[in-house]
Amino acid sequence: MSTATIPERDALVQAALAGRDIDALLVTGLVNVRWLCGFTGSNAAALVGADGTRLFATDFRYLTVSAEQVPAQWERLIEQDLLAALTARLPASPDSARPLRLGFDDAAMGVREHLRLAGLVGDGVELVPAGGLVEDLRAIKDRHELERIRAASLLADGALSEIIAAGLVGKTEREVALELEIRMRRLGAEGISFPPIVAAGAHGALPHAEPRDVPIPAGTLVVIDWGAQLDGYASDCTRTYATGELSEHDRGIYELVLDAQLAALAACGPGLLGREVDAVARGIIDAAGHQDHFGHGLGHGVGIEVHEGPRLSKLGETPLAPGMVVTIEPGVYVPGVVGVRIEDLVVVTDDGIDIVTTLPKELQVVG
Ligand code: GLY
Ligand code: MN
Ligand code: MN
């Protein structure tokens, strides 16, 4: 497992450059800059060279904050035009027979910015899409990141527990979602991972349902999906609750999703491809005749962003590795009838997983 801390992440990037045949990397995605340099402001870019170049650029508003946050090995540039400032300081090509190969954050750079970059660097530089170089490194969390994600998750669990203790029936979905958000902030969250989803009955069949001004009835299932942001890191969790006696159908759907979730958790560990873990849960849901009712992937990485790599879906070709933090969140969504999703946050360890989420999963009946 990587134990790199922020001061060491530039070395990880430098090592990855060689594998991609890139001489220097221009990092313009703010989340990537934050991961790399520890900078939390709203405008910054960085340049990492295989030759040891370490440049960080931001504007005057962040003169003081950047001095506090950005490790000493980075030369800081305080400029209005970050691209111009960094491209003016590109290293020379290591081979005079070919142009400098400059990687750029292709996932984070728009077409207009790319055109401008091409104009700034001119013909002597070859622009190379870096294709998730920093994102791949971000997928493996160091111990500080793991602590933060655990703390965010624990805070979110605590907020939801307060909501559940106060009951659901008769409150509107929007009231519950708002109260959950307020409680997370009261408990110290700096933000929310995404607007909470609270969806009762047939509304729960929409995987990303928007909470409505509709009271939650007794005798149905309620999907609650929420997350807190703490110290720059996100959490993500879903629980589905019963608000009284359920129909046999709805109870059966709950048990099916729980079986699929537990099987995927049991299978999950280092070395498996994302699609292989997805297939474990999907096989159980498909075999029960619900192959058309689980249309999203099994899970995703969580870190500074609530959705990041690796992907656990039919398209997930990344092998899981120790230090990755992913969700395991199968669901069954029967249109017009009911929906169930159960989502845990887990850390991939050397020999399996460690479940971060602390809330129970046996069906809970809440008044
Ligand atoms: N609410 C988004 C997710 O669980 O991925
Ligand atoms: Mn999720
Ligand atoms: Mn979620």
Side-chain angles (χ1 to χ4, degrees), residues 31-32 35 107 131-141 145-146 149 233-234 236 272-274 299-313 315-327 345-348:
V31 175
N32 286 343
W35 175 83
L133 185 152
V134 177
E135 286 82 353
D136 288 352
L137 295 171
R138 276 174 39 204
I140 310 270
K141 273 64 188 180
E145 295 180 293
L146 294 177
I149 294 168
Y233 283 78
D236 191 9
L272 261 79
L273 304 181
H300 53 86
V302 175
I304 298 174
E305 293 184 295
V306 69
H307 292 123
E308 52 181 54
R311 179 188 277 202
L312 276 65
S313 76
L315 305 176
E317 296 294 340
T318 304
L320 296 182
M324 287 181 171
V325 176
V326 298
T327 66
L345 197 54
V346 310
V347 180
V348 181

Side-chain angles (χ1 to χ4, degrees), residues 128-166:
V128 183
L133 185 152
V134 177
E135 286 82 353
D136 288 352
L137 295 171
R138 276 174 39 204
I140 310 270
K141 273 64 188 180
D142 65 38
R143 62 197 149 84
H144 300 286
E145 295 180 293
L146 294 177
E147 274 168 21
R148 288 170 181 195
I149 294 168
R150 282 182 198 282
S153 182
L154 205 57
L155 184 154
D157 289 356
L160 197 272
S161 299
E162 292 177 11
I163 294 288
I164 294 305

Side-chain angles (χ1 to χ4, degrees), residues 209-248:
E210 296 217 5
R212 303 165 299 175
D213 286 317
V214 170
I216 296 171
T220 194
L221 287 165
V222 184
V223 179
I224 304 182
D225 185 350
W226 77 109
Q229 272 185 325
L230 189 60
D231 250 344
Y233 283 78
S235 75
D236 191 9
C237 178
T238 306
R239 287 293 182 266
T240 302
Y241 293 95
T243 56
E245 193 65 31
L246 293 180
S247 67
E248 209 171 305

